Amino acid sequence: MNDTTPCLCGDPRSYEQCCGLIHHDISNAQTAESLMRARYSAYSTDNLDFIRQSWHSSTLPDDVEPNEAGFSWQGLKIIDTEAGGTDDEQGVVEFIASYTMNGQAGTLHERSHFKREAGQWRYFDGKQKKGVPVTSEKIGRNDPCPCGSGKKYKRCCYK
């Protein structure tokens, strides 16, 4: 990615001025939300080194897998944050991430928990939002976008 590539997390800044700063130096993640956005961008580009680096050591899995063939993250929408600021030790970020898998659209709605470790924000764990299933229905171009933006799919995450 270059200086003008829009950030994958949906922030209006370029990748290099947003998640790229955090991917180069995790200490640039000043809030739990900024780390969440950087992790989404890392998942979008299969940056497995950053995903491992940003995981709390007490919950880091043995293996982090790349995206499956035919899978693509399409958009991120932050729903809510609790704490997770510059002076906090813990925080929660609720989000909806849109994806496509072999041409079918879906969403993941999760509440992620973050904790500081050695002074830096780290992903601790996440829970799928109760009552909100991961969807994988086929979405038509003129259907509402599953990310919840209110736009038609073709004008939102279909891109």
Side-chain angles (χ1 to χ4, degrees), residues 42-64:
Y43 272 107
S44 295
T45 58
D46 280 334
N47 183 346
L48 303 182
D49 289 336
F50 181 80
I51 294 167
R52 282 186 208 93
Q53 178 189 11
S54 64
W55 215 303
H56 197 278
S57 64
S58 68
T59 58
L60 178 65
D62 292 333
D63 198 14
V64 179

Side-chain angles (χ1 to χ4, degrees), residues 21-22 25-30 53 120 122:
L21 291 173
I22 299 168
D25 183 355
I26 196 167
S27 68
N28 288 321
Q30 298 296 309
Q53 178 189 11
Q120 303 301 316
R122 297 290 191 266

Side-chain angles (χ1 to χ4, degrees), residues 1-7 13-16:
M1 292 191 199
N2 60 42
D3 288 342
T4 60
T5 302
C7 196
R13 295 175 291 173
S14 71
Y15 166 78
E16 286 300 325

Side-chain angles (χ1 to χ4, degrees), residues 22 28-37 78 80-94 111-116 119-123:
I22 299 168
N28 288 321
Q30 298 296 309
T31 65
E33 181 179 338
S34 64
L35 183 62
M36 175 65 233
R37 288 179 176 280
I78 303 297
D80 188 29
T81 59
E82 294 175 15
T86 55
D87 296 328
D88 296 317
E89 292 297 314
Q90 297 184 38
V92 176
V93 179
E94 182 177 341
R111 286 181 63 80
S112 294
H113 297 88
F114 295 84
K115 292 184 179 182
R116 288 195 189 262
Q120 303 301 316
W121 283 110
R122 297 290 191 266
Y123 171 79

Side-chain angles (χ1 to χ4, degrees), residues 129-140:
K129 186 80 170 156
K130 289 186 178 204
V132 181
V134 173
T135 60
S136 61
E137 72 277 359
K138 186 163 177 73
I139 302 292

